[in-house]
Amino acid sequence: MARPTGRELKSEVMTEASLAIQRRGVGGLSYGSLAERLGVRAPSIHHHFRRKDELVLAVTATYCAEFQARVVAIDEPSPTDRIRRYAELFDEVATDGRLCLCGAVAADWSSVDDEVRVLVSTFFADQAEWLRAQVLAAIADGELADAVEPARLADALLAALEGSLLVRRADVEPSGVARLVDALLDLGAPAPA
Amino acid sequence: MARPTGRELKSEVMTEASLAIQRRGVGGLSYGSLAERLGVRAPSIHHHFRRKDELVLAVTATYCAEFQARVVAIDEPSPTDRIRRYAELFDEVATDGRLCLCGAVAADWSSVDDEVRVLVSTFFADQAEWLRAQVLAAIADGELADAVEPARLADALLAALEGSLLVRRADVEPSGVARLVDALLDLGAPAPA
DNA sequence: GTCTATACCAGGATAGAC
DNA sequence: GTCTATCCTGGTATAGAC
């Protein structure tokens, strides 16, 4: 049972591997535990991904593509609402103590090869770029004060989102990251309440 | 040479271990590489720290104490300047790609024991608490708009600082975290420039 | 495509000599 | 306090049967 025709094992492996990296880091990912979780033997995974590097690379590429797809699907009319929705994506992708996969890779930066690093660098650059565009639009719409420097605030938002996933692991009663972004957006509201 | 009377080895081990964790994570810390770096054999380190857990615990405790000492030593008259100076502490403690030690531990959360977790949780709570007090003072002094919610902004600042250390590893030309904090403080300035 | 079996290596840890 | 030597575990990886 469990492993029938077996054509779907490859994608199952990738799904589990992504969760494992987000939970325990790249170093915490092992073929053994992965195999056990899937009810398979380690060599079966080696058949699909000969080296661990290949698995990490494939998982990272898929994660970046899927996340980006969800970002471009955001269609709120208000720029600041788009940013709030964006923060929710982080919550969704990182439930119960998981990190953003790219954040987890960055944490294990010294143990991943260059191909993976390039993907992660591009991911962060893309996120900052998207956020910058939203901040720019928010200023144009009067939702943020025009004293705000778009690129700087975008970087701060991204750092805060990635960092909050890290910090909340140590929180006794962790909350979502959305309220944190609210704080920053309220901060930049043009009309002093 | 190198290992003379040997009474200082214990502290040398702790210093190197801290750097290793900040660079490669708790999982990336090994007695072997540590020993090699210090020109000693691995068992010599076991003599001072029987188990790896003990070493991690000792290093974390020292890091937290030393960081806290540097925080309370901040004496700028302006609350926002104190926060800017605080951001510089992060830069100092995390040069060339290192993370805040507690951030690194949080990234390897699943592989550290409860004693260490408590230290890290306390560390983050202390930092958020200190930041909250500065934000409160900044509002009282008119350096930040009173629409700002102190606890929320403090959390965001801490998350942004921890996260920026992570994200900048993937940056092609990483910069200090200080400018990022400037962006957030400018954001909360009461008078729209 | 998946399995069993196995080689191989690195890291953590201990015993006992000096 | 530091060493040599050794054990054990767990993880990566390969060969070859089914």
mmCIF file with all atom_site columns, all heavy atoms in Angstrom, chain B residues 6 40-41 44 47-48, chain D residues 1-6:
data_model
loop_
_atom_site.group_PDB
_atom_site.id
_atom_site.type_symbol
_atom_site.label_atom_id
_atom_site.label_alt_id
_atom_site.label_comp_id
_atom_site.label_asym_id
_atom_site.label_entity_id
_atom_site.label_seq_id
_atom_site.pdbx_PDB_ins_code
_atom_site.Cartn_x
_atom_site.Cartn_y
_atom_site.Cartn_z
_atom_site.occupancy
_atom_site.B_iso_or_equiv
_atom_site.pdbx_formal_charge
_atom_site.auth_seq_id
_atom_site.auth_comp_id
_atom_site.auth_asym_id
_atom_site.auth_atom_id
_atom_site.pdbx_PDB_model_num
ATOM 1   N N     . GLY B 1 6  ? 46.969 27.125 28.999 1.00 0.00 ? 6  GLY B N     1
ATOM 2   C CA    . GLY B 1 6  ? 45.675 26.575 28.601 1.00 0.00 ? 6  GLY B CA    1
ATOM 3   C C     . GLY B 1 6  ? 44.502 26.929 29.459 1.00 0.00 ? 6  GLY B C     1
ATOM 4   O O     . GLY B 1 6  ? 43.450 26.329 29.327 1.00 0.00 ? 6  GLY B O     1
ATOM 5   N N     . VAL B 1 40 ? 43.678 22.831 18.302 1.00 0.00 ? 40 VAL B N     1
ATOM 6   C CA    . VAL B 1 40 ? 43.526 21.894 19.419 1.00 0.00 ? 40 VAL B CA    1
ATOM 7   C C     . VAL B 1 40 ? 42.822 20.655 18.892 1.00 0.00 ? 40 VAL B C     1
ATOM 8   O O     . VAL B 1 40 ? 42.411 20.611 17.739 1.00 0.00 ? 40 VAL B O     1
ATOM 9   C CB    . VAL B 1 40 ? 42.667 22.534 20.539 1.00 0.00 ? 40 VAL B CB    1
ATOM 10  C CG1   . VAL B 1 40 ? 42.707 21.708 21.804 1.00 0.00 ? 40 VAL B CG1   1
ATOM 11  C CG2   . VAL B 1 40 ? 43.138 23.951 20.823 1.00 0.00 ? 40 VAL B CG2   1
ATOM 12  N N     . ARG B 1 41 ? 42.713 19.627 19.709 1.00 0.00 ? 41 ARG B N     1
ATOM 13  C CA    . ARG B 1 41 ? 41.952 18.443 19.329 1.00 0.00 ? 41 ARG B CA    1
ATOM 14  C C     . ARG B 1 41 ? 40.557 18.505 19.924 1.00 0.00 ? 41 ARG B C     1
ATOM 15  O O     . ARG B 1 41 ? 40.359 19.124 20.989 1.00 0.00 ? 41 ARG B O     1
ATOM 16  C CB    . ARG B 1 41 ? 42.665 17.169 19.813 1.00 0.00 ? 41 ARG B CB    1
ATOM 17  C CG    . ARG B 1 41 ? 44.042 16.987 19.203 1.00 0.00 ? 41 ARG B CG    1
ATOM 18  C CD    . ARG B 1 41 ? 43.971 16.886 17.706 1.00 0.00 ? 41 ARG B CD    1
ATOM 19  N NE    . ARG B 1 41 ? 45.287 16.608 17.133 1.00 0.00 ? 41 ARG B NE    1
ATOM 20  C CZ    . ARG B 1 41 ? 45.497 16.301 15.863 1.00 0.00 ? 41 ARG B CZ    1
ATOM 21  N NH1   . ARG B 1 41 ? 44.461 16.227 15.024 1.00 0.00 ? 41 ARG B NH1   1
ATOM 22  N NH2   . ARG B 1 41 ? 46.710 16.058 15.413 1.00 0.00 ? 41 ARG B NH2   1
ATOM 23  N N     . SER B 1 44 ? 39.746 18.003 23.667 1.00 0.00 ? 44 SER B N     1
ATOM 24  C CA    . SER B 1 44 ? 40.113 19.095 24.574 1.00 0.00 ? 44 SER B CA    1
ATOM 25  C C     . SER B 1 44 ? 38.918 20.005 24.815 1.00 0.00 ? 44 SER B C     1
ATOM 26  O O     . SER B 1 44 ? 38.763 20.591 25.894 1.00 0.00 ? 44 SER B O     1
ATOM 27  C CB    . SER B 1 44 ? 41.265 19.909 23.981 1.00 0.00 ? 44 SER B CB    1
ATOM 28  O OG    . SER B 1 44 ? 42.336 19.055 23.644 1.00 0.00 ? 44 SER B OG    1
ATOM 29  N N     . HIS B 1 47 ? 36.412 18.421 27.124 1.00 0.00 ? 47 HIS B N     1
ATOM 30  C CA    . HIS B 1 47 ? 36.799 18.531 28.527 1.00 0.00 ? 47 HIS B CA    1
ATOM 31  C C     . HIS B 1 47 ? 36.138 19.726 29.198 1.00 0.00 ? 47 HIS B C     1
ATOM 32  O O     . HIS B 1 47 ? 35.754 19.659 30.369 1.00 0.00 ? 47 HIS B O     1
ATOM 33  C CB    . HIS B 1 47 ? 38.320 18.633 28.641 1.00 0.00 ? 47 HIS B CB    1
ATOM 34  C CG    . HIS B 1 47 ? 38.799 18.711 30.066 1.00 0.00 ? 47 HIS B CG    1
ATOM 35  N ND1   . HIS B 1 47 ? 39.094 19.915 30.672 1.00 0.00 ? 47 HIS B ND1   1
ATOM 36  C CD2   . HIS B 1 47 ? 38.968 17.760 30.995 1.00 0.00 ? 47 HIS B CD2   1
ATOM 37  C CE1   . HIS B 1 47 ? 39.462 19.685 31.913 1.00 0.00 ? 47 HIS B CE1   1
ATOM 38  N NE2   . HIS B 1 47 ? 39.396 18.391 32.145 1.00 0.00 ? 47 HIS B NE2   1
ATOM 39  N N     . HIS B 1 48 ? 35.996 20.812 28.427 1.00 0.00 ? 48 HIS B N     1
ATOM 40  C CA    . HIS B 1 48 ? 35.370 22.025 28.986 1.00 0.00 ? 48 HIS B CA    1
ATOM 41  C C     . HIS B 1 48 ? 33.851 22.016 28.840 1.00 0.00 ? 48 HIS B C     1
ATOM 42  O O     . HIS B 1 48 ? 33.146 22.541 29.699 1.00 0.00 ? 48 HIS B O     1
ATOM 43  C CB    . HIS B 1 48 ? 35.958 23.264 28.315 1.00 0.00 ? 48 HIS B CB    1
ATOM 44  C CG    . HIS B 1 48 ? 37.406 23.466 28.560 1.00 0.00 ? 48 HIS B CG    1
ATOM 45  N ND1   . HIS B 1 48 ? 37.889 23.948 29.751 1.00 0.00 ? 48 HIS B ND1   1
ATOM 46  C CD2   . HIS B 1 48 ? 38.488 23.222 27.792 1.00 0.00 ? 48 HIS B CD2   1
ATOM 47  C CE1   . HIS B 1 48 ? 39.206 24.013 29.695 1.00 0.00 ? 48 HIS B CE1   1
ATOM 48  N NE2   . HIS B 1 48 ? 39.608 23.573 28.515 1.00 0.00 ? 48 HIS B NE2   1
ATOM 49  P P     . DG  D 2 1  ? 41.940 23.111 34.108 1.00 0.00 ? 1  DG  D P     1
ATOM 50  O OP1   . DG  D 2 1  ? 41.154 24.261 34.019 1.00 0.00 ? 1  DG  D OP1   1
ATOM 51  O OP2   . DG  D 2 1  ? 41.376 21.790 34.402 1.00 0.00 ? 1  DG  D OP2   1
ATOM 52  O "O5'" . DG  D 2 1  ? 42.831 23.009 32.786 1.00 0.00 ? 1  DG  D "O5'" 1
ATOM 53  C "C5'" . DG  D 2 1  ? 43.739 21.909 32.836 1.00 0.00 ? 1  DG  D "C5'" 1
ATOM 54  C "C4'" . DG  D 2 1  ? 44.407 21.830 31.527 1.00 0.00 ? 1  DG  D "C4'" 1
ATOM 55  O "O4'" . DG  D 2 1  ? 45.024 20.537 31.430 1.00 0.00 ? 1  DG  D "O4'" 1
ATOM 56  C "C3'" . DG  D 2 1  ? 43.457 21.890 30.341 1.00 0.00 ? 1  DG  D "C3'" 1
ATOM 57  O "O3'" . DG  D 2 1  ? 44.263 22.245 29.231 1.00 0.00 ? 1  DG  D "O3'" 1
ATOM 58  C "C2'" . DG  D 2 1  ? 42.977 20.457 30.250 1.00 0.00 ? 1  DG  D "C2'" 1
ATOM 59  C "C1'" . DG  D 2 1  ? 44.266 19.713 30.552 1.00 0.00 ? 1  DG  D "C1'" 1
ATOM 60  N N9    . DG  D 2 1  ? 44.098 18.422 31.245 1.00 0.00 ? 1  DG  D N9    1
ATOM 61  C C8    . DG  D 2 1  ? 43.112 18.039 32.107 1.00 0.00 ? 1  DG  D C8    1
ATOM 62  N N7    . DG  D 2 1  ? 43.260 16.822 32.549 1.00 0.00 ? 1  DG  D N7    1
ATOM 63  C C5    . DG  D 2 1  ? 44.434 16.372 31.942 1.00 0.00 ? 1  DG  D C5    1
ATOM 64  C C6    . DG  D 2 1  ? 45.105 15.126 32.020 1.00 0.00 ? 1  DG  D C6    1
ATOM 65  O O6    . DG  D 2 1  ? 44.796 14.148 32.689 1.00 0.00 ? 1  DG  D O6    1
ATOM 66  N N1    . DG  D 2 1  ? 46.244 15.104 31.231 1.00 0.00 ? 1  DG  D N1    1
ATOM 67  C C2    . DG  D 2 1  ? 46.683 16.159 30.475 1.00 0.00 ? 1  DG  D C2    1
ATOM 68  N N2    . DG  D 2 1  ? 47.797 15.957 29.780 1.00 0.00 ? 1  DG  D N2    1
ATOM 69  N N3    . DG  D 2 1  ? 46.058 17.328 30.387 1.00 0.00 ? 1  DG  D N3    1
ATOM 70  C C4    . DG  D 2 1  ? 44.944 17.355 31.131 1.00 0.00 ? 1  DG  D C4    1
ATOM 71  P P     . DT  D 2 2  ? 43.639 22.606 27.794 1.00 0.00 ? 2  DT  D P     1
ATOM 72  O OP1   . DT  D 2 2  ? 44.246 23.881 27.392 1.00 0.00 ? 2  DT  D OP1   1
ATOM 73  O OP2   . DT  D 2 2  ? 42.178 22.451 27.889 1.00 0.00 ? 2  DT  D OP2   1
ATOM 74  O "O5'" . DT  D 2 2  ? 44.213 21.496 26.815 1.00 0.00 ? 2  DT  D "O5'" 1
ATOM 75  C "C5'" . DT  D 2 2  ? 45.619 21.336 26.699 1.00 0.00 ? 2  DT  D "C5'" 1
ATOM 76  C "C4'" . DT  D 2 2  ? 45.935 19.938 26.233 1.00 0.00 ? 2  DT  D "C4'" 1
ATOM 77  O "O4'" . DT  D 2 2  ? 45.536 18.983 27.252 1.00 0.00 ? 2  DT  D "O4'" 1
ATOM 78  C "C3'" . DT  D 2 2  ? 45.177 19.483 24.976 1.00 0.00 ? 2  DT  D "C3'" 1
ATOM 79  O "O3'" . DT  D 2 2  ? 46.037 19.565 23.838 1.00 0.00 ? 2  DT  D "O3'" 1
ATOM 80  C "C2'" . DT  D 2 2  ? 44.774 18.041 25.281 1.00 0.00 ? 2  DT  D "C2'" 1
ATOM 81  C "C1'" . DT  D 2 2  ? 45.433 17.750 26.606 1.00 0.00 ? 2  DT  D "C1'" 1
ATOM 82  N N1    . DT  D 2 2  ? 44.637 16.816 27.459 1.00 0.00 ? 2  DT  D N1    1
ATOM 83  C C2    . DT  D 2 2  ? 45.103 15.550 27.663 1.00 0.00 ? 2  DT  D C2    1
ATOM 84  O O2    . DT  D 2 2  ? 46.145 15.142 27.189 1.00 0.00 ? 2  DT  D O2    1
ATOM 85  N N3    . DT  D 2 2  ? 44.302 14.741 28.438 1.00 0.00 ? 2  DT  D N3    1
ATOM 86  C C4    . DT  D 2 2  ? 43.101 15.096 29.021 1.00 0.00 ? 2  DT  D C4    1
ATOM 87  O O4    . DT  D 2 2  ? 42.473 14.290 29.700 1.00 0.00 ? 2  DT  D O4    1
ATOM 88  C C5    . DT  D 2 2  ? 42.669 16.450 28.769 1.00 0.00 ? 2  DT  D C5    1
ATOM 89  C C7    . DT  D 2 2  ? 41.362 16.921 29.341 1.00 0.00 ? 2  DT  D C7    1
ATOM 90  C C6    . DT  D 2 2  ? 43.439 17.242 28.008 1.00 0.00 ? 2  DT  D C6    1
ATOM 91  P P     . DC  D 2 3  ? 45.567 19.015 22.426 1.00 0.00 ? 3  DC  D P     1
ATOM 92  O OP1   . DC  D 2 3  ? 46.428 19.652 21.400 1.00 0.00 ? 3  DC  D OP1   1
ATOM 93  O OP2   . DC  D 2 3  ? 44.109 19.159 22.369 1.00 0.00 ? 3  DC  D OP2   1
ATOM 94  O "O5'" . DC  D 2 3  ? 45.920 17.460 22.490 1.00 0.00 ? 3  DC  D "O5'" 1
ATOM 95  C "C5'" . DC  D 2 3  ? 47.273 17.054 22.316 1.00 0.00 ? 3  DC  D "C5'" 1
ATOM 96  C "C4'" . DC  D 2 3  ? 47.418 15.590 22.687 1.00 0.00 ? 3  DC  D "C4'" 1
ATOM 97  O "O4'" . DC  D 2 3  ? 46.747 15.360 23.938 1.00 0.00 ? 3  DC  D "O4'" 1
ATOM 98  C "C3'" . DC  D 2 3  ? 46.772 14.615 21.714 1.00 0.00 ? 3  DC  D "C3'" 1
ATOM 99  O "O3'" . DC  D 2 3  ? 47.674 14.296 20.665 1.00 0.00 ? 3  DC  D "O3'" 1
ATOM 100 C "C2'" . DC  D 2 3  ? 46.499 13.411 22.596 1.00 0.00 ? 3  DC  D "C2'" 1
ATOM 101 C "C1'" . DC  D 2 3  ? 46.346 14.002 23.996 1.00 0.00 ? 3  DC  D "C1'" 1
ATOM 102 N N1    . DC  D 2 3  ? 44.953 13.966 24.531 1.00 0.00 ? 3  DC  D N1    1
ATOM 103 C C2    . DC  D 2 3  ? 44.492 12.786 25.164 1.00 0.00 ? 3  DC  D C2    1
ATOM 104 O O2    . DC  D 2 3  ? 45.271 11.811 25.224 1.00 0.00 ? 3  DC  D O2    1
ATOM 105 N N3    . DC  D 2 3  ? 43.230 12.741 25.665 1.00 0.00 ? 3  DC  D N3    1
ATOM 106 C C4    . DC  D 2 3  ? 42.461 13.828 25.556 1.00 0.00 ? 3  DC  D C4    1
ATOM 107 N N4    . DC  D 2 3  ? 41.231 13.745 26.084 1.00 0.00 ? 3  DC  D N4    1
ATOM 108 C C5    . DC  D 2 3  ? 42.893 15.028 24.916 1.00 0.00 ? 3  DC  D C5    1
ATOM 109 C C6    . DC  D 2 3  ? 44.134 15.058 24.414 1.00 0.00 ? 3  DC  D C6    1
ATOM 110 P P     . DT  D 2 4  ? 47.097 13.630 19.355 1.00 0.00 ? 4  DT  D P     1
ATOM 111 O OP1   . DT  D 2 4  ? 48.108 13.829 18.286 1.00 0.00 ? 4  DT  D OP1   1
ATOM 112 O OP2   . DT  D 2 4  ? 45.731 14.108 19.158 1.00 0.00 ? 4  DT  D OP2   1
ATOM 113 O "O5'" . DT  D 2 4  ? 47.005 12.078 19.702 1.00 0.00 ? 4  DT  D "O5'" 1
ATOM 114 C "C5'" . DT  D 2 4  ? 48.068 11.391 20.354 1.00 0.00 ? 4  DT  D "C5'" 1
ATOM 115 C "C4'" . DT  D 2 4  ? 47.683 9.920  20.505 1.00 0.00 ? 4  DT  D "C4'" 1
ATOM 116 O "O4'" . DT  D 2 4  ? 46.669 9.798  21.544 1.00 0.00 ? 4  DT  D "O4'" 1
ATOM 117 C "C3'" . DT  D 2 4  ? 47.073 9.283  19.257 1.00 0.00 ? 4  DT  D "C3'" 1
ATOM 118 O "O3'" . DT  D 2 4  ? 47.529 7.934  19.143 1.00 0.00 ? 4  DT  D "O3'" 1
ATOM 119 C "C2'" . DT  D 2 4  ? 45.580 9.350  19.501 1.00 0.00 ? 4  DT  D "C2'" 1
ATOM 120 C "C1'" . DT  D 2 4  ? 45.491 9.207  21.014 1.00 0.00 ? 4  DT  D "C1'" 1
ATOM 121 N N1    . DT  D 2 4  ? 44.331 9.917  21.609 1.00 0.00 ? 4  DT  D N1    1
ATOM 122 C C2    . DT  D 2 4  ? 43.492 9.240  22.463 1.00 0.00 ? 4  DT  D C2    1
ATOM 123 O O2    . DT  D 2 4  ? 43.651 8.067  22.773 1.00 0.00 ? 4  DT  D O2    1
ATOM 124 N N3    . DT  D 2 4  ? 42.458 9.980  22.961 1.00 0.00 ? 4  DT  D N3    1
ATOM 125 C C4    . DT  D 2 4  ? 42.185 11.302 22.700 1.00 0.00 ? 4  DT  D C4    1
ATOM 126 O O4    . DT  D 2 4  ? 41.217 11.866 23.213 1.00 0.00 ? 4  DT  D O4    1
ATOM 127 C C5    . DT  D 2 4  ? 43.095 11.960 21.784 1.00 0.00 ? 4  DT  D C5    1
ATOM 128 C C7    . DT  D 2 4  ? 42.878 13.388 21.425 1.00 0.00 ? 4  DT  D C7    1
ATOM 129 C C6    . DT  D 2 4  ? 44.119 11.246 21.282 1.00 0.00 ? 4  DT  D C6    1
ATOM 130 P P     . DA  D 2 5  ? 47.111 7.053  17.846 1.00 0.00 ? 5  DA  D P     1
ATOM 131 O OP1   . DA  D 2 5  ? 48.271 6.205  17.531 1.00 0.00 ? 5  DA  D OP1   1
ATOM 132 O OP2   . DA  D 2 5  ? 46.548 7.953  16.814 1.00 0.00 ? 5  DA  D OP2   1
ATOM 133 O "O5'" . DA  D 2 5  ? 45.936 6.127  18.376 1.00 0.00 ? 5  DA  D "O5'" 1
ATOM 134 C "C5'" . DA  D 2 5  ? 45.932 5.666  19.722 1.00 0.00 ? 5  DA  D "C5'" 1
ATOM 135 C "C4'" . DA  D 2 5  ? 44.598 5.010  20.029 1.00 0.00 ? 5  DA  D "C4'" 1
ATOM 136 O "O4'" . DA  D 2 5  ? 43.687 5.992  20.620 1.00 0.00 ? 5  DA  D "O4'" 1
ATOM 137 C "C3'" . DA  D 2 5  ? 43.871 4.445  18.803 1.00 0.00 ? 5  DA  D "C3'" 1
ATOM 138 O "O3'" . DA  D 2 5  ? 43.470 3.109  19.069 1.00 0.00 ? 5  DA  D "O3'" 1
ATOM 139 C "C2'" . DA  D 2 5  ? 42.696 5.391  18.584 1.00 0.00 ? 5  DA  D "C2'" 1
ATOM 140 C "C1'" . DA  D 2 5  ? 42.428 5.887  19.997 1.00 0.00 ? 5  DA  D "C1'" 1
ATOM 141 N N9    . DA  D 2 5  ? 41.784 7.199  20.041 1.00 0.00 ? 5  DA  D N9    1
ATOM 142 C C8    . DA  D 2 5  ? 42.138 8.320  19.332 1.00 0.00 ? 5  DA  D C8    1
ATOM 143 N N7    . DA  D 2 5  ? 41.380 9.362  19.574 1.00 0.00 ? 5  DA  D N7    1
ATOM 144 C C5    . DA  D 2 5  ? 40.457 8.895  20.500 1.00 0.00 ? 5  DA  D C5    1
ATOM 145 C C6    . DA  D 2 5  ? 39.374 9.515  21.155 1.00 0.00 ? 5  DA  D C6    1
ATOM 146 N N6    . DA  D 2 5  ? 39.031 10.789 20.967 1.00 0.00 ? 5  DA  D N6    1
ATOM 147 N N1    . DA  D 2 5  ? 38.659 8.760  22.026 1.00 0.00 ? 5  DA  D N1    1
ATOM 148 C C2    . DA  D 2 5  ? 39.003 7.481  22.216 1.00 0.00 ? 5  DA  D C2    1
ATOM 149 N N3    . DA  D 2 5  ? 40.002 6.791  21.657 1.00 0.00 ? 5  DA  D N3    1
ATOM 150 C C4    . DA  D 2 5  ? 40.691 7.572  20.801 1.00 0.00 ? 5  DA  D C4    1
ATOM 151 P P     . DT  D 2 6  ? 42.750 2.208  17.945 1.00 0.00 ? 6  DT  D P     1
ATOM 152 O OP1   . DT  D 2 6  ? 43.248 0.830  18.084 1.00 0.00 ? 6  DT  D OP1   1
ATOM 153 O OP2   . DT  D 2 6  ? 42.826 2.940  16.640 1.00 0.00 ? 6  DT  D OP2   1
ATOM 154 O "O5'" . DT  D 2 6  ? 41.231 2.245  18.442 1.00 0.00 ? 6  DT  D "O5'" 1
ATOM 155 C "C5'" . DT  D 2 6  ? 40.940 2.178  19.836 1.00 0.00 ? 6  DT  D "C5'" 1
ATOM 156 C "C4'" . DT  D 2 6  ? 39.475 2.503  20.037 1.00 0.00 ? 6  DT  D "C4'" 1
ATOM 157 O "O4'" . DT  D 2 6  ? 39.282 3.940  20.054 1.00 0.00 ? 6  DT  D "O4'" 1
ATOM 158 C "C3'" . DT  D 2 6  ? 38.570 1.968  18.928 1.00 0.00 ? 6  DT  D "C3'" 1
ATOM 159 O "O3'" . DT  D 2 6  ? 37.669 1.020  19.479 1.00 0.00 ? 6  DT  D "O3'" 1
ATOM 160 C "C2'" . DT  D 2 6  ? 37.853 3.207  18.393 1.00 0.00 ? 6  DT  D "C2'" 1
ATOM 161 C "C1'" . DT  D 2 6  ? 37.999 4.198  19.528 1.00 0.00 ? 6  DT  D "C1'" 1
ATOM 162 N N1    . DT  D 2 6  ? 37.946 5.629  19.111 1.00 0.00 ? 6  DT  D N1    1
ATOM 163 C C2    . DT  D 2 6  ? 37.025 6.474  19.705 1.00 0.00 ? 6  DT  D C2    1
ATOM 164 O O2    . DT  D 2 6  ? 36.252 6.114  20.585 1.00 0.00 ? 6  DT  D O2    1
ATOM 165 N N3    . DT  D 2 6  ? 37.042 7.763  19.260 1.00 0.00 ? 6  DT  D N3    1
ATOM 166 C C4    . DT  D 2 6  ? 37.874 8.286  18.276 1.00 0.00 ? 6  DT  D C4    1
ATOM 167 O O4    . DT  D 2 6  ? 37.795 9.472  17.965 1.00 0.00 ? 6  DT  D O4    1
ATOM 168 C C5    . DT  D 2 6  ? 38.804 7.349  17.686 1.00 0.00 ? 6  DT  D C5    1
ATOM 169 C C7    . DT  D 2 6  ? 39.738 7.809  16.608 1.00 0.00 ? 6  DT  D C7    1
ATOM 170 C C6    . DT  D 2 6  ? 38.792 6.076  18.125 1.00 0.00 ? 6  DT  D C6    1
#
